Amino acid sequence: GGWVSEVKNMGPLTEWLKNVDPIAAWGAILSTSLAIREYLKSKLKIEVDFLSTTSTTIGNKVTIRNNSVRPIVVTYWEILFREWRFLPIGESPCHSPESFADFRILEHNSTTLEFTDGDYFSCSPKALKGRKLYLRLYVSGKRCPFVFFLYS
């Protein structure tokens, strides 16, 4: 069979492994795993929660949570309707700020965007028209925006 001949051809690999210093191999494995751990620890982690109500006085709330070990700066955000998650087909704006100033979310902290009275938007099936609601979040230092699913 094909795999049997591949196993037989592993002679050079097994010879090489016999000559590897076990302490050096242990050090290489340990340093690589620590590098991966540090990379994952410093990676940007953002969560978004959405609370929808039918009351314009209570309004809708979008909570942006920074679970990273460093602060983030949000440079812009917009709420939009989309038919597809990864493709902007059938995309239309739902709500975006008229004027915007960057805001900072400290590490392991959150901020809430509230939509009451004039900023309120409906999430009824009539308003959604079969589309889903998403938050597009622009973060300083990131080339592409983050897109978070809010409601369907």
Side-chain angles (χ1 to χ4, degrees), residues 64-130:
I64 305 167
R65 194 169 295 110
N66 178 13
N67 292 329
S68 304
V69 294
R70 63 178 195 258
I72 61 171
V73 176
V74 175
T75 56
Y76 190 72
W77 60 267
E78 54 191 338
I79 294 178
L80 43 99
F81 295 113
R82 266 190 178 181
E83 293 180 19
W84 301 93
R85 165 76 167 98
F86 297 105
L87 299 173
I89 297 173
E91 182 177 289
S92 60
C94 173
H95 189 82
S96 58
E98 292 176 15
S99 63
F100 188 80
D102 295 355
F103 63 89
R104 186 176 187 179
I105 305 175
L106 297 175
E107 60 277 357
H108 303 291
N109 220 323
S110 64
T111 191
T112 301
L113 307 173
E114 296 187 12
F115 305 95
T116 57
D117 301 323
D119 291 332
Y120 177 81
F121 56 89
S122 176
C123 294
S124 69
K126 184 179 177 184
L128 289 176
K129 299 177 188 168

Side-chain angles (χ1 to χ4, degrees), residues 7-110:
V7 170
K8 288 180 183 176
N9 291 334
M10 292 184 66
L13 177 63
T14 56
E15 285 301 315
W16 179 78
L17 286 173
K18 287 180 187 175
N19 297 327
V20 170
D21 181 18
I23 295 174
W26 172 249
I29 291 169
L30 185 64
S31 65
T32 302
S33 63
L34 287 173
I36 292 170
R37 180 177 162 236
E38 286 301 313
Y39 169 76
L40 292 175
K41 198 166 115 178
S42 67
K43 190 176 175 188
L44 193 60
K45 299 174 199 129
I46 301 173
E47 286 180 17
V48 172
D49 290 327
F50 179 65
L51 174 66
S52 173
T53 64
T54 55
S55 168
T56 58
T57 54
I58 297 173
N60 300 325
K61 292 178 174 51
V62 175
T63 302
I64 305 167
R65 194 169 295 110
N66 178 13
N67 292 329
S68 304
V69 294
R70 63 178 195 258
I72 61 171
V73 176
V74 175
T75 56
Y76 190 72
W77 60 267
E78 54 191 338
I79 294 178
L80 43 99
F81 295 113
R82 266 190 178 181
E83 293 180 19
W84 301 93
R85 165 76 167 98
F86 297 105
L87 299 173
I89 297 173
E91 182 177 289
S92 60
C94 173
H95 189 82
S96 58
E98 292 176 15
S99 63
F100 188 80
D102 295 355
F103 63 89
R104 186 176 187 179
I105 305 175
L106 297 175
E107 60 277 357
H108 303 291
N109 220 323
S110 64

Side-chain angles (χ1 to χ4, degrees), residues 127-147:
L128 289 176
K129 299 177 188 168
R131 301 168 297 179
K132 296 176 174 105
L133 197 61
Y134 289 91
L135 170 71
R136 186 182 292 151
L137 193 66
Y138 294 85
V139 176
S140 178
K142 293 295 176 184
R143 192 168 48 106
C144 297
F146 294 92
V147 177

